Amino acid sequence: MSKILLVEDNPSIVKGLKYSLEQKNYKVVIAFNYVDALEMLNDTFDLAILDITLPDGSGYDICKKIKEEYEMPCLFLSAKDEEEDIVKGLELGAEDYITKPFGVRELLVRIEKILKREVKRKIVVVENTKVDLDKMQVFVDNNLVKLTKVEYKIISLLFTNLNRTITREKLIDVIWDIDGNFVNDNTLTVNIKRIREKLNSDVIKTVKGIGYMVESNEK
């Protein structure tokens, strides 16, 4: 079941859209404002549907944060229908932009297309390392690599953000207390070292003084 984050401050739109999405077996989580949406990003979603004009911020800023720190497609659903608004949304990396008023059937078709495209991205391959995000498994030369939960979390974050530097702070936030243990900078360093040994490669690059990155030439 795909999980959708709906960021919308209009209760009537939320009610109708939530019903329509749930009829299609989507799980829907609602954020009525900017602050709540940012807090919910710590969870995992398959798609974010964003209104632009929120009582305490902008959907543009949410999209920007998602594209900088998370691997999640975005769809704008907004009354702002000027060309410059649409172009800005798409330039931020949104997969689609639909103006209000909108047809529910059209929206559902566009959501389905986005999610189908995303399914194809669930296996990430860089050099001889393959990460199967659905099965939560990592392979090197087609051989399964045994990882701890923390090690897999680090790898999945890096491999779903190819060519992006993930800061040490972000990695620590993501793996914090996953095994019920205290996580600090030294813990991260040790886990990165162990991952590199298990992968037997330098696919994880150190960005000095900032964090780590997995580079890929794939477009």
Side-chain angles (χ1 to χ4, degrees):
M1 178 184 292
S2 295
K3 189 174 179 181
I4 295 176
L5 173 63
L6 174 60
V7 184
E8 170 63 62
D9 66 331
N10 186 316
S12 61
I13 292 178
V14 168
K15 182 178 179 180
L17 192 49
K18 185 174 186 291
Y19 173 80
S20 297
L21 290 169
E22 289 178 341
Q23 290 297 106
K24 291 292 184 179
N25 293 320
Y26 295 123
K27 183 176 181 180
V28 183
V29 177
I30 309 298
F32 287 97
N33 56 56
Y34 176 85
V35 171
D36 288 348
L38 293 189
E39 291 180 358
M40 291 176 182
L41 288 179
N42 292 321
D43 202 347
T44 301
F45 296 93
D46 299 290
L47 172 68
I49 300 176
L50 308 173
D51 188 9
I52 292 174
T53 305
L54 300 168
D56 58 346
S58 169
Y60 287 138
D61 292 332
I62 298 173
C63 180
K64 184 178 179 181
K65 184 174 182 64
I66 287 173
K67 294 304 180 180
E68 287 177 348
E69 301 185 22
Y70 302 88
E71 186 68 15
M72 186 199 313
C74 298
L75 183 154
F76 280 111
L77 187 62
S78 174
K80 297 174 74 67
D81 58 359
E82 296 293 329
E83 181 180 7
E84 61 185 48
D85 298 317
I86 297 171
V87 169
K88 181 177 180 179
L90 297 176
E91 285 181 340
L92 284 171
E95 277 66 24
D96 208 340
Y97 191 115
I98 297 178
T99 58
K100 300 174 183 176
F102 60 93
V104 173
R105 290 177 62 188
E106 178 188 358
L107 175 62
L108 292 173
V109 168
R110 295 201 189 192
I111 289 172
E112 185 178 358
K113 285 185 176 181
I114 292 172
L115 293 175
K116 282 183 177 179
R117 288 199 301 267
E118 288 301 304
V119 168
K120 297 178 181 178
R121 302 179 188 177
K122 293 301 183 182
I123 294 181
V124 185
V125 180
V126 178
E127 297 177 6
N128 65 336
T129 302
K130 178 174 72 174
V131 179
D132 188 324
L133 299 170
D134 280 333
K135 296 181 179 179
M136 300 177 65
Q137 293 178 328
V138 176
F139 300 84
V140 173
D141 293 325
N142 292 320
N143 295 313
L144 180 63
V145 178
K146 292 184 177 180
L147 300 167
T148 66
K149 286 186 290 186
V150 169
E151 289 167 352
Y152 175 77
K153 194 68 176 178
I154 292 171
I155 286 182
S156 64
L157 182 60
L158 291 169
F159 271 75
T160 53
N161 289 276
L162 298 178
N163 300 313
R164 295 178 183 172
T165 299
I166 306 299
T167 65
R168 295 183 67 89
E169 291 78 12
K170 175 62 180 176
L171 284 163
I172 290 172
D173 284 345
V174 167
I175 65 176
W176 183 269
D177 208 29
I178 195 170
D179 276 332
N181 300 314
F182 178 69
V183 176
N184 58 22
D185 200 64
N186 290 333
T187 306
L188 176 61
T189 300
V190 169
N191 276 281
I192 292 289
K193 181 176 183 293
R194 289 175 178 168
I195 290 169
R196 285 171 168 161
E197 291 173 349
K198 290 181 178 183
L199 298 182
N200 192 28
S201 76
D202 60 352
V203 67
I204 297 177
K205 312 291 184 183
T206 298
V207 182
K208 191 173 181 180
I210 302 177
Y212 301 94
M213 174 194 293
V214 173
E215 295 180 327
S216 173
N217 294 323
E218 293 293 326
K219 301 297 183 182

